[in-house]
Amino acid sequence: MTPPPHAQLVAPVADLAYLDCQSITLPAPITPLQAWRMVMAAPLPGMRLAFRIRDAISARFGVARIGGFSGAQPVQPRVGDKLDFFLIEAISDGVLTLTARDRHLDVMTCITSAGCDLAITASVITHNRFGRAYMLPVAPAHKLIVWLMLRRIRRAALARHQTMA
């Protein structure tokens, strides 16, 4: 699992507690923001419940509630804006870098596109025991969620490509 050359990581690979990079090839290029919008337009079933459980447990350890994904679609997001609980750190036609940082861990999700290839790279550093414990169930769940999201993007892109052909 090697991140694409233009993917950003929250820290050097040797310092990461978690690194996952998954990619797909689409029938036509899309931007990372288009990919984000495709995913947010139809959230995965169960995500709302997963975020409620996350918030209920994490709040006991002083972690702010994040509430999950709202589905809001800002027209022209810029660096410094928020996409739900993520801070936009970089945005271009080839890269969308989002972060969420607190006293327990720093998370970076970087969506990259190059031609018809789209990748989602997630990197995490933990700051304490709670951060490490938090990642135990989150790491495998995150891998599955990203895999499912990428499949949904591919299906949507294929459908859109077929209607345009």
Side-chain angles (χ1 to χ4, degrees):
M1 148 189 39
T2 302
H6 49 291
Q8 298 175 327
L9 303 176
V10 72
V13 172
D15 297 338
L16 297 176
Y18 176 78
L19 175 63
D20 180 53
C21 184
Q22 299 181 50
S23 63
I24 56 172
T25 300
L26 301 171
I30 64 171
T31 68
L33 183 59
Q34 287 172 319
W36 174 266
R37 287 182 169 151
M38 291 168 94
V39 168
M40 292 302 116
L44 291 169
M47 289 299 292
R48 186 174 302 236
L49 176 61
F51 277 112
R52 272 195 223 136
I53 292 168
R54 178 253 179 231
D55 285 349
I57 294 169
S58 296
R60 295 178 179 175
F61 295 91
V63 177
R65 295 178 182 272
I66 57 176
F69 298 118
S70 68
Q73 301 282 342
V75 177
Q76 290 186 334
R78 295 182 256 248
V79 170
D81 290 348
K82 292 268 191 148
L83 290 177
D84 292 313
F85 54 89
F86 284 115
L87 175 68
I88 300 173
E89 295 218 4
I91 187 166
S92 69
D93 286 342
V95 177
L96 174 61
T97 303
L98 306 169
T99 57
R101 301 171 193 267
D102 65 29
R103 65 186 178 146
H104 303 289
L105 45 78
D106 294 344
V107 175
M108 181 174 281
T109 299
C110 187
I111 306 170
T112 56
S113 63
C116 293
D117 295 326
L118 180 78
I120 299 177
T121 303
S123 58
V124 177
I125 55 173
T126 57
H127 302 302
N128 54 34
R129 277 189 293 227
F130 178 78
R132 289 187 291 281
Y134 176 88
M135 288 306 298
L136 290 174
V138 169
H142 188 273
K143 286 182 187 208
L144 176 61
I145 290 165
V146 170
W147 184 84
L148 291 168
M149 287 178 170
L150 286 171
R151 290 336 167 255
R152 282 182 158 208
I153 291 169
R154 179 184 284 143
R155 279 194 303 272
L158 284 169
R160 187 170 72 183
H161 184 71
Q162 290 171 347
T163 60
M164 297 174 86

